[in-house]
Amino acid sequence: MRRTTLTTALATALTTVALTLLAALPTGASTAAPAPGAASVRTVTYPGLGATVTLDHLDRIARTPRPFQDFVERRLTRLWKQNDPRPRCRPAATMIVKTWRSDGYALISDMGNFAPCPAGGWVQIAVRTADGWRTPVRLGAQEPFRCRVLASYDVPVAVVPDGKCYAGGQVVSYEAWLAER
C-alpha cells in the first residue's frame, strides 16, 4: 500500500511538471529541428547561357565552393579523355554551368565535347551525395526531363530547365506536376 501511494504521488508530480513545460511552449512549437528554408539556400546563377568552363578556364566558377570546382575539373578531364585524349582536344571538354545551389543541385545547361574535337553535348543536372558531386545518367538529356525522374532525385523547380518536364507524353510545368502528386 505504501508503494502505491508513493507511485501515485510521483506520477502526479511528473504529470504536473510535464503539463507546466508544455504550457510554456508557444503555440505551434515543434520539438523537431526546423527544415532549412529556401532563404537559407545559397544560389549562384550565371547570366546569359551560363559560365562556360573548360580545363583552361576553371576560374569562371570561382563563386562556387571548392568541392564543386574539383568535381567540374574531374568531370571535364573525364570528358576529354573519353572523347579524344590528344592534347589538341583538351579544350573541347566543356561545361556551361547555369546555376549552382548550396542544397546540392547544379544545372549544367550544356556539357560535352565541342570544337576542336566535337562529339556532342547534353543538359545535365548534377547532385551532391554523401560521396560528393555526381552526374546521374538519368539526369542528363537532350530534351525535357521526365517529371518522375526529377522527383525521384528531389530536384528543386529552380534547377529544372525552363521549369518544364515530360508527364504522360506531354511537356508540363514541373511545379504544377509536383503540386498534383
Side-chain angles (χ1 to χ4, degrees), residues 52 54 83 87-94 112-121:
T52 302
T54 63
N83 179 43
R88 76 175 197 84
C89 293
R90 188 174 187 270
T94 305
N113 289 289
F114 304 101
C117 305

Side-chain angles (χ1 to χ4, degrees), residues 167-179:
Q170 61 189 38
V171 178
V172 299
S173 160
Y174 180 51
E175 186 172 29
W177 183 86
L178 284 173

Side-chain angles (χ1 to χ4, degrees), residues 53-129:
V53 185
T54 63
L55 288 167
D56 294 330
H57 296 288
L58 293 165
D59 59 316
R60 292 181 177 162
I61 55 169
R63 293 176 25 213
T64 64
R66 189 86 220 153
F68 182 73
Q69 293 173 36
D70 292 344
F71 154 76
V72 169
E73 183 176 19
R74 283 190 308 275
R75 193 67 180 95
L76 286 171
T77 301
R78 189 175 337 145
L79 282 169
W80 167 42
K81 303 269 180 172
Q82 288 174 341
N83 179 43
D84 190 332
R86 293 177 296 168
R88 76 175 197 84
C89 293
R90 188 174 187 270
T94 305
M95 289 176 79
I96 302 175
V97 178
K98 181 64 180 166
T99 302
W100 169 89
R101 291 172 45 114
S102 64
D103 60 351
Y105 298 92
L107 172 58
I108 301 165
S109 62
D110 213 341
M111 180 165 80
N113 289 289
F114 304 101
C117 305
W122 59 94
V123 174
Q124 182 74 57
I125 295 174
V127 296
R128 186 180 59 223
T129 67

Side-chain angles (χ1 to χ4, degrees), residues 29-52:
S30 171
T31 57
S40 65
V41 175
R42 183 173 156 253
T43 303
V44 176
T45 300
Y46 295 96
L49 297 175
T52 302

